Amino acid sequence: MGMTPDKVEITKDGATTTVVKSAFEKVWKAKGWSVVEESTEAPEAPSGDDKDDNTDV
Amino acid sequence: MARLIPNENTQVFFVAAIADEDLAPTATEITGGVNLTSFLVTMDASTTGNTVPTPNFASLFETSISGTVTATFTAEFYRDDEEDTAWDTLPRATDGYFVVSRFGLGGAAGEPIAGDEVEVWPVRLTARSAMALTNNEVQRFGIEAAIPEEPNEAAIVTA
């Protein structure tokens, strides 16, 4: 059984689609499409107002 | 009215995304795609309707009703040792849309404009195969594609 090529989600002007990675590198990148990055940021820390300091007894 | 050959009339684009759910592309979506016209040798975008037999004992005539419809998309393109655009655009498993203008586009330089009629064929490439190498023949490749949703064979380009 053949292997499925790697695909990437790409976006331009609010439109998104999925293409094969090699096609993105060779064709769509030059046309202004960019890869939709997975969010790697840490979850936002709770603000001071909402902080629960667990001091209740 | 005129009868036309595809040469210098038909244009074929491969478009990554079309936002409209009825597959009416915008001019920008088409021009943001890849114009494959100069690589194209043959193309077959066609539908096949099925009929369901409904004979009955009251008649010798075997009646039928309309059934499901299927579609296929196959095409053949040239390879190019410098700008291998068609080959690079159409790897196996690629999703996208072939936008086909059979009779030409309305822009002054042949670009799509609002009001142009085009065919939109949603595809997922199932095969991309180099043609057998043959003495004294230009190198080409063929594609086969599944049609994951109903094509729009009379889409009107929007602004």
Side-chain angles (χ1 to χ4, degrees):
Chain A
M1 198 172 93
M3 292 175 61
T4 302
D6 286 342
K7 301 177 96 173
V8 289
E9 187 176 12
I10 61 174
T11 184
K12 181 185 177 187
D13 300 334
T16 59
T17 190
T18 306
V19 298
V20 174
K21 195 177 283 185
S22 65
F24 168 72
E25 294 293 339
K26 292 177 178 174
V27 178
W28 301 107
K29 197 174 184 178
K31 287 188 159 288
W33 290 77
S34 58
V35 174
V36 176
E37 300 288 350
E38 295 284 339
S39 177
T40 56
E41 293 178 8
E44 195 172 316
S47 68
D49 295 341
D50 299 333
K51 192 179 286 182
D52 182 355
D53 55 8
N54 292 322
T55 54
D56 296 343
V57 285
Chain B
M1 188 185 84
R3 295 174 183 178
L4 301 173
I5 60 174
N7 307 54
E8 295 192 1
N9 289 307
T10 300
Q11 289 203 62
V12 177
F13 296 81
F14 188 77
V15 175
I18 293 176
D20 182 63
E21 63 181 19
D22 294 326
L23 300 183
T26 66
T28 305
E29 285 172 337
I30 298 173
T31 52
V34 182
N35 189 339
L36 297 175
T37 308
S38 62
F39 292 88
L40 190 60
V41 185
T42 66
M43 187 194 81
D44 179 18
S46 58
T47 55
T48 303
N50 298 307
T51 57
V52 180
T54 55
N56 64 82
F57 282 12
S59 173
L60 285 174
F61 183 80
E62 294 201 351
T63 56
S64 61
I65 59 172
S66 60
T68 57
V69 180
T70 62
T72 58
F73 193 102
T74 59
E76 197 175 309
F77 299 90
Y78 287 117
R79 298 295 308 271
D80 189 300
D81 65 348
E82 291 182 359
E83 295 291 330
D84 210 3
T85 307
W87 176 264
D88 292 339
T89 304
L90 302 169
R92 179 168 51 86
T94 295
D95 296 315
Y97 304 83
F98 276 100
V99 176
V100 181
S101 167
R102 301 245 172 197
F103 306 130
L105 295 162
E111 74 277 15
I113 59 172
D116 284 338
E117 185 173 324
V118 296
E119 297 175 18
V120 178
W121 293 80
V123 294
R124 170 167 292 179
L125 274 288
T126 55
R128 178 189 67 173
S129 307
M131 294 290 172
L133 293 172
T134 306
N135 177 55
N136 208 33
E137 282 194 10
V138 177
Q139 294 194 40
R140 294 166 299 180
F141 73 97
I143 60 155
E144 298 172 8
I147 313 293
E149 59 181 303
E150 186 176 356
N152 187 341
E153 293 148 282
I156 302 299
V157 177
T158 56

